[in-house]
Amino acid sequence: MIGFVLAVTAFGYSVPRTVVLVFVALVVGLLLAVQFYLTIGLSVYRSVKQTRHDRVEPELRGELLDRLFAEDPGWEAWVGGLSTVERDVVESLLDEHLRELDGTEAETLRGLGDALGIPERAGQRLEAGDEYERLHALTWLTLLRRPGPHLESSFEPRTPRERASVVTLLEQTDRLADEETGIEILLDGIDAQFTVFGQDTLYRVARRDPAPLLRTASVAYQTWPEPLLGQVLAVCAQLETSVRDGELAWIVAVLETGTEATRAAAADALASFGWRESLRDRAFLERAVNDPSPRVRNAVYEMLASWGDRAALDVLQQALAEETDPGALTAGMTALARRRDRFETDPGVMLGAAWDWSLEHVEYDRLARRAETQKVR
């Protein structure tokens, strides 16, 4: 029809507007009808499939558990007698139980995964699938603890999600050579932020040895997009005193020259490293508490209160005496009040009524937490 209208127009014949409108309405109606029937058909197919799964699931679950605790589960023979629907259900049950069990039972269940041919299919998805299929494959290889030859072939993770999944697989199967290798896989050449899972993976690797992360960040942080830099700084904030050596100058540089969000994240990260003499420069601290952003000043106040020594608290007290932003003043006063036992003289002389209010606020929070703890017990 479309070809006919175009052909008629091309030869100089005019097509009435009413005919064109009717034709368009017919085409749109046809497309909507096709979409409707496809949607209904897909829903019916999924419903029938789910019904079949539900019908056989209880019996298969019981047999799986019986075989799991038998002396010889006989996975190969059992799988060989299953229909396609039954194999799908057993694979779903395997996924469910592997996430719940560990030890001997989990290792026995992994034999069922081998009998189902999951590692081989996962390897094929790694080579030929899209990102969703590759992530699904990596998840199965991690659950089954079967890296096999797949990660030693030509496979290269292409996205932050894949990088995190590969490191998790290597870590869970004791194939991660060292933390340096893990950090390299996660961060080398990366140009996008991680998911929450990826950020957690970065933390788990860095927690064991923070030095590779700090070295990598000191070289590459300026090339990272802001969200990724913020994630790395958030990880650094959780490393605490596990950092024995490593370059922190890049975090200081972010605090002084980064965007508002990354400056605040840098202050959060430095809160864990107050014992480092390199951070004690008075001029640096005075620049930090005079940041133009109330959000950043808030984070800096928390940083100084976290350090908790007399020099840091003196800087914090003087900064709060000059603070004009209500939100930053409230947050800074509350942070300072948590350290009230560190003062030889009453800060209220300098800070006035806001100090008394902060003390009451902190005491109220302490009593509320105590009551909640007693309630849980």
Side-chain angles (χ1 to χ4, degrees):
M1 288 290 292
I2 294 177
F4 174 74
V5 172
L6 292 176
V8 170
T9 304
F11 280 101
Y13 296 100
S14 62
V15 179
R17 183 178 180 183
T18 303
V19 174
V20 174
L21 293 176
V22 170
F23 169 74
V24 171
L26 287 173
V27 171
V28 171
L30 179 61
L31 291 175
L32 290 174
V34 170
Q35 183 180 18
F36 172 77
Y37 285 111
L38 284 176
T39 302
I40 293 298
L42 181 60
S43 298
V44 171
Y45 168 76
R46 288 176 174 172
S47 177
V48 171
K49 183 178 180 180
Q50 187 61 48
T51 299
R52 291 176 178 174
H53 281 207
D54 292 343
R55 187 180 300 125
V56 300
E57 191 268 343
E59 181 179 350
L60 291 172
R61 182 185 294 274
E63 185 166 0
L64 185 152
L65 293 176
D66 289 341
R67 290 176 177 273
L68 173 61
F69 295 103
E71 185 175 344
D72 179 12
W75 298 129
E76 293 284 352
W78 184 43
V79 168
L82 297 177
S83 67
T84 301
V85 172
E86 290 172 332
R87 288 173 67 99
D88 288 343
V89 173
V90 169
E91 194 165 310
S92 297
L93 292 172
L94 176 61
D95 182 295
E96 173 187 331
H97 289 303
L98 280 176
R99 296 176 188 273
E100 298 175 350
L101 300 175
D102 54 17
T104 304
E105 290 80 12
E107 191 56 41
T108 301
L109 275 178
R110 292 182 184 112
L112 174 57
D114 295 335
L116 289 166
I118 295 175
E120 290 74 19
R121 282 185 279 131
Q124 294 170 1
R125 289 194 183 103
L126 285 180
E127 297 298 331
D130 57 18
E131 183 188 29
Y132 172 80
E133 291 182 326
R134 293 194 298 272
L135 290 172
H136 186 62
L138 290 167
T139 299
W140 266 120
L141 293 175
T142 301
L143 287 172
L144 295 173
R145 305 292 193 269
R146 301 287 192 267
H150 310 298
L151 297 184
E152 299 170 3
S153 62
S154 58
F155 174 73
E156 292 287 343
R158 309 170 196 176
T159 67
R161 285 187 289 266
E162 291 179 21
R163 290 169 181 259
S165 295
V166 167
V167 171
T168 298
L169 172 57
L170 293 173
E171 187 180 37
Q172 292 291 321
T173 56
D174 296 324
R175 297 290 189 92
L176 189 62
D178 49 40
E179 288 72 27
E180 189 87 41
T181 301
I183 295 299
E184 182 178 355
I185 295 173
L186 286 166
L187 294 175
D188 186 35
I190 192 171
D191 58 1
Q193 70 184 111
F194 289 109
T195 60
V196 173
F197 169 70
Q199 187 173 355
D200 178 70
T201 303
L202 181 63
Y203 167 70
R204 285 189 284 106
V205 175
R207 181 182 57 186
R208 300 193 306 192
D209 181 7
L213 173 60
L214 294 173
R215 285 197 298 269
T216 299
S218 67
V219 173
Y221 78 94
Q222 291 178 308
T223 67
W224 290 338
E226 181 178 320
L228 176 62
L229 177 57
Q231 289 180 317
V232 174
L233 288 167
V235 168
C236 291
Q238 301 301 318
L239 297 179
E240 299 179 345
T241 55
S242 59
V243 178
R244 287 293 174 262
D245 52 19
E247 185 56 60
L248 298 179
W250 67 276
I251 305 181
V252 173
V254 173
L255 177 55
E256 296 208 283
T257 63
T259 64
E260 180 183 53
T262 57
R263 295 200 310 276
D268 291 339
L270 291 175
S272 299
F273 306 129
W275 50 272
R276 294 291 294 269
E277 285 296 329
S278 58
L279 303 179
R280 294 301 182 157
D281 181 70
R282 182 83 180 195
F284 161 65
L285 295 180
E286 290 178 352
R287 288 195 301 273
V289 296
N290 284 294
D291 192 281
S293 164
R295 174 184 176 184
V296 177
R297 294 199 302 275
N298 185 354
V300 171
Y301 297 159
E302 292 283 356
M303 175 190 80
L304 293 171
S306 178
W307 291 1
D309 63 283
R310 183 175 299 178
L313 295 180
D314 284 346
V315 172
L316 175 55
Q317 183 176 340
Q318 292 172 17
L320 291 175
E322 300 175 2
E323 179 59 66
T324 58
D325 181 80
L329 179 62
T330 299
M333 285 285 191
T334 302
L336 185 65
R338 297 194 192 103
R339 296 292 192 175
R340 59 190 180 279
D341 58 319
R342 301 293 182 92
F343 289 95
E344 296 180 357
T345 59
D346 184 10
V349 176
M350 179 182 293
L351 301 177
W355 174 248
D356 296 330
W357 181 90
S358 298
L359 287 177
E360 292 181 6
H361 183 70
V362 169
E363 181 64 15
Y364 175 82
D365 284 347
R366 185 185 67 82
L367 294 174
R369 285 194 296 271
R370 176 186 293 180
E372 187 64 28
T373 302
Q374 293 174 346
K375 181 179 178 181
V376 172
R377 291 178 181 176

